[in-house]
Amino acid sequence: MSQDGPSAHMSSMPSSLTATEPTNLAICDCTKASHEHGTRDMYGYHKCRCIPCGTANREYYRSTAHLTRTRKWADAELARKRIFQLREAGLTMEAMADLSTVNIANLHYILRGPGGRTVKRVLTSTLDALNAISYKDIAGWELTGDTRVDGTVPRLQTMALQAAGWCPEDLSELSGVGRQTFNKLLRGFGTTEEMRRRIDSLYTGLRRTAPPQDTPLQQMRVRRALRKAEANGWTVDMADDAEHARAA
């Protein structure tokens, strides 16, 4: 075979469901999987469907099934309530992840679920880790300027300011926050506590104010900001009801 890559290997692999004996393989020198029939590598990577390889694959899942059965599960609603309690106590999602050692992606998954569907259960260890966060932990958790925080509120504030006509260049110049930071926020990323404070201060000073339009450049920037806001459905009051944990 002169072709390279896994597709070349797979295209010539045996795939008969009724083959009871190992069949000849095409020449394959890849190092990603075993070439021996009757193994899970042959079934999974090389897509061999002869009976010996199929048997090896079934035996693998039978031998590891107990790992899934022995997991202990808890009601996900209890985990959601605990997350809301911790947020009301002043912890960000990032802080919860740090204090509980639960991956932040798992915390967001518990709240939102796949495709907006409600998650029904979580691992008991996840719920235990969230419940283990004490008020002493909350009081002792220090929010520094470099601490990563949720970007929802500064994102809404940025959108609201652009809906009022303030362009990214103006926001960056007035706040000292780089345009890349604003761009990342609008794409759904988080930010740091220092950047959150700066954007909050900027929003407090500029909310519901009109940007200057004394020069053609300023007028062009305002039109561009308004077009972007209109295209995305942003409004000047969209950040008013956002939950915002201010630094003490």
Side-chain angles (χ1 to χ4, degrees):
M1 286 285 175
S2 60
Q3 290 178 299
D4 295 324
S7 60
H9 304 146
M10 295 178 186
S11 63
S12 56
M13 292 299 111
S15 58
S16 172
L17 296 175
T18 58
T20 58
E21 297 294 333
T23 54
N24 292 329
L25 286 173
I27 297 174
C28 176
D29 58 0
C30 78
T31 59
K32 294 185 178 180
S34 168
H35 297 83
E36 182 181 354
H37 275 281
T39 63
R40 186 167 176 265
D41 277 351
M42 279 295 298
Y43 184 93
Y45 182 76
H46 289 303
K47 307 299 182 185
C48 179
R49 294 298 182 263
C50 71
I51 289 178
C53 291
T55 300
N57 186 63
R58 286 193 300 274
E59 288 302 320
Y60 169 81
Y61 282 107
R62 286 172 182 166
S63 66
T64 58
H66 68 283
L67 298 177
T68 302
R69 287 198 301 268
T70 55
R71 286 181 176 178
K72 295 182 179 180
W73 299 94
D75 187 352
E77 187 60 29
L78 298 176
R80 279 189 287 273
K81 288 181 179 179
R82 181 56 176 164
I83 291 173
F84 292 142
Q85 288 175 348
L86 294 172
R87 289 179 68 177
E88 290 175 0
L91 287 185
T92 64
M93 296 292 281
E94 288 77 6
M96 289 181 225
D98 288 341
L99 293 172
S100 67
T101 68
V102 175
N103 190 296
I104 190 171
N106 291 341
L107 297 179
H108 286 298
Y109 180 84
I110 292 170
L111 291 180
R112 299 190 183 97
R117 297 191 298 273
T118 302
V119 175
K120 299 295 185 182
R121 64 178 188 173
V122 298
L123 287 173
T124 300
S125 58
T126 298
L127 179 60
D128 290 343
L130 290 170
N131 286 332
I133 299 176
S134 66
Y135 286 104
K136 184 177 180 180
D137 294 328
I138 296 172
W141 188 74
E142 295 184 2
L143 194 66
T144 67
D146 293 330
T147 302
R148 299 294 301 179
V149 297
D150 184 76
T152 300
V153 172
R155 183 178 308 114
L156 291 174
Q157 291 173 333
T158 301
M159 293 174 178
L161 289 176
Q162 289 204 39
W166 292 96
C167 70
E169 292 87 350
D170 291 333
L171 300 181
S172 180
E173 291 170 4
L174 293 171
S175 65
V177 177
R179 287 191 60 186
Q180 281 191 336
T181 299
F182 284 112
N183 290 336
K184 287 182 178 180
L185 272 175
L186 295 178
R187 293 202 305 269
F189 289 90
T191 187
T192 64
E193 173 62 12
E194 175 63 24
M195 295 299 102
R196 184 202 67 75
R197 290 174 184 169
R198 292 190 184 189
I199 294 172
D200 181 54
S201 177
L202 178 72
Y203 177 74
T204 301
L206 296 182
R207 60 183 302 183
R208 290 186 172 81
T209 63
Q213 301 188 56
D214 300 326
T215 67
L217 176 60
Q218 291 173 335
Q219 295 169 9
M220 181 271 292
R221 286 181 170 182
V222 170
R223 289 195 299 270
R224 188 178 62 192
L226 292 175
R227 282 198 302 269
K228 184 173 183 179
E230 183 179 4
N232 289 280
W234 301 342
T235 62
V236 294
D237 59 352
M238 64 189 305
D240 287 356
D241 297 328
E243 182 180 354
H244 189 196
R246 297 179 181 273

